Amino acid sequence: MLVFGTLFTSCGEDDWSNDNSTMEHVYYYGFQDWGNLKNNVVYNLAQGETVAVATQFWSEYTRSYSPKVSYYVSNVPGKEDLALGVDYQIVDKDGNSIRPNDNGSYEMIWPNAVKGIQYVYVKALNGKKGSIRLLTSNPGKTMDNMDIESTIIVKTDQYEVRAFTENYYVTIKIQ
């Protein structure tokens, strides 16, 4: 009984509260649908249709700055290659095509670091069938749940935004 009492009292309220100054400007970005983890959420997309994939920004504060995060699209390793602009497009809510940045990423802004949900829209263009991944982390980067540095999406002098290792990509099957 004494051992259990010691275990429960060794973790104080401050260990789990929002009063940790080192984490005050650290936020998280991921997909709203977690499935049953292991990055196995799949969206089926018919030719000519558009799917809205909900992304979420976790924050408990309103700030003077507006964090920018990046998201990416890649082919599924080992699967048939689908081409951006031929087989699918990333579009805005009105269906207008969005072009990626020079590094292949797409930018999303979270005004005043307010938590919430924004959507990424993927449209199938009546091209080939196959699968792509939508990622909150650079597809060339290896995510490791034992290495916090591998989860950082963006780090500035004002804020840091991290991805989750169990929620950093979803698969979109174009049928």
Side-chain angles (χ1 to χ4, degrees):
M1 198 67 160
L2 180 61
V3 172
F4 286 118
T6 303
L7 287 175
F8 288 121
T9 60
S10 66
C11 292
E13 175 81 23
D14 290 340
D15 294 339
W16 300 99
S17 71
N18 287 332
D19 294 333
N20 183 346
S21 63
T22 62
M23 296 293 288
E24 190 173 334
H25 296 276
V26 176
Y27 308 98
Y28 290 87
Y29 174 65
F31 295 99
Q32 185 183 36
D33 186 353
W34 283 69
N36 61 357
L37 300 178
K38 302 202 186 299
N39 293 304
N40 64 2
V41 174
V42 176
Y43 293 86
N44 293 310
L45 180 58
Q47 296 289 341
E49 297 295 319
T50 301
V51 65
V53 179
T55 65
Q56 189 166 353
F57 185 78
W58 282 265
S59 171
E60 295 303 320
Y61 303 99
T62 299
R63 300 294 189 194
S64 61
Y65 53 80
S66 295
K68 294 179 186 177
V69 299
S70 295
Y71 62 91
Y72 299 80
V73 180
S74 76
N75 284 297
V76 175
K79 300 284 185 177
E80 183 177 358
D81 289 342
L82 297 181
L84 175 66
V86 175
D87 302 310
Y88 69 92
Q89 282 182 323
I90 304 302
V91 297
D92 65 16
K93 65 182 170 108
D94 298 318
N96 302 308
S97 179
I98 301 172
R99 301 294 314 158
N101 295 327
D102 290 342
N103 67 357
S105 69
Y106 297 84
E107 201 171 81
M108 185 175 284
I109 299 171
W110 295 90
N112 299 108
V114 174
K115 70 180 169 185
I117 295 170
Q118 291 186 42
Y119 293 89
V120 174
Y121 300 91
V122 180
K123 181 177 182 177
L125 295 177
N126 295 314
K128 289 191 286 188
K129 295 179 181 181
S131 297
I132 57 173
R133 282 185 179 165
L134 184 59
L135 305 100
T136 60
S137 182
N138 186 321
K141 188 177 186 180
T142 301
M143 297 289 282
D144 181 353
N145 65 354
M146 300 305 287
D147 179 13
I148 289 176
E149 291 297 315
S150 75
T151 68
I152 296 173
I153 297 171
V154 63
K155 188 173 188 175
T156 72
D157 61 338
Q158 292 182 305
Y159 61 85
E160 179 177 314
V161 182
R162 298 177 184 172
F164 298 101
T165 60
E166 291 295 334
N167 190 25
Y168 73 96
Y169 74 82
V170 297
T171 302
I172 300 171
K173 288 185 179 179
I174 299 175
Q175 304 173 337

